[in-house]
Amino acid sequence: HKCWVMMLIQLRYWFADRRPEVAASATQALSRALWSPPENLEPERWPEVFDQVLFPLVDQSVKEGSSQSTARAVNILTRTFLHNVYVLAPIPGFHVLWLRVITFMSRCLAVNAEVRESTLENLKNLFMVLQGDGLFQKISENAGQDVWDL
């Protein structure tokens, strides 16, 4: 597990590389690694992946001001969340992770129109999947409060 996370962290650094080929390769490798995680990865480890890889990836992209990298980072965050939502949902504190995902995505809304549009599309997809699969209700029951009220 630790080696996998270390590899993800390194790919996160290359994600914003000024050389387009390196950035594209890092994006592809990071996406594949996050969307097909190790089979023996304990669900409780996922918040660490979000804290050490995905949230800093979005933060770094916003700070650098690159529309393309910010849109890519939001897409990776969203798709990683969606690809792993059934593993993530039973985790205690999932509602906190959900709020953090929404918070990081909301920061991207002010970047520019292109990033705002991409981020809103990703938010819509998140809401549709979680609502459509009844996960909001399950998450609310596990958290002991309505996630819509948070």
Side-chain angles (χ1 to χ4, degrees):
H1 161 74
K2 288 183 181 184
C3 290
W4 182 68
V5 172
M6 288 173 43
M7 178 197 67
L8 295 174
I9 291 169
Q10 187 59 53
L11 289 170
R12 184 189 85 207
Y13 290 118
W14 289 331
F15 176 87
D17 197 281
R18 299 201 186 286
R19 298 167 292 179
E21 310 82 28
V22 173
S25 294
T27 300
Q28 186 178 37
L30 186 59
S31 299
R32 285 183 179 169
L34 288 164
W35 301 339
S36 298
E39 290 179 15
N40 62 347
L41 181 67
E42 298 105 8
E44 294 78 23
R45 296 290 183 192
W46 273 106
E48 177 184 343
V49 172
F50 278 83
D51 288 340
Q52 292 185 17
V53 179
L54 292 163
F55 296 144
L57 182 72
V58 172
D59 230 11
Q60 171 188 345
S61 297
V62 169
K63 287 177 185 172
E64 290 178 358
S66 166
S67 296
Q68 285 185 328
S69 69
T70 303
R72 283 192 341 258
V74 168
N75 189 46
I76 289 174
L77 172 64
T78 304
R79 290 187 63 189
T80 299
F81 189 87
L82 289 174
H83 273 270
N84 299 291
V85 72
Y86 293 104
V87 173
L88 297 169
I91 296 173
F94 173 78
H95 61 291
V96 175
L97 178 62
W98 162 249
L99 287 176
R100 292 193 64 211
V101 167
I102 297 302
T103 300
F104 273 87
M105 291 179 76
S106 69
R107 293 178 187 168
C108 300
L109 294 173
V111 174
N112 63 35
E114 176 188 343
V115 173
R116 182 175 38 256
E117 183 178 329
S118 172
T119 301
L120 287 172
E121 184 65 28
N122 279 300
L123 279 167
K124 180 188 82 170
N125 291 340
L126 277 174
F127 286 122
M128 286 176 56
V129 169
L130 292 175
Q131 184 63 33
D133 289 351
L135 287 173
F136 276 128
Q137 182 177 350
K138 291 175 189 170
I139 296 163
S140 295
E141 289 169 6
N142 288 345
Q145 65 186 104
D146 189 354
V147 266
W148 282 108
D149 290 342
L150 298 175

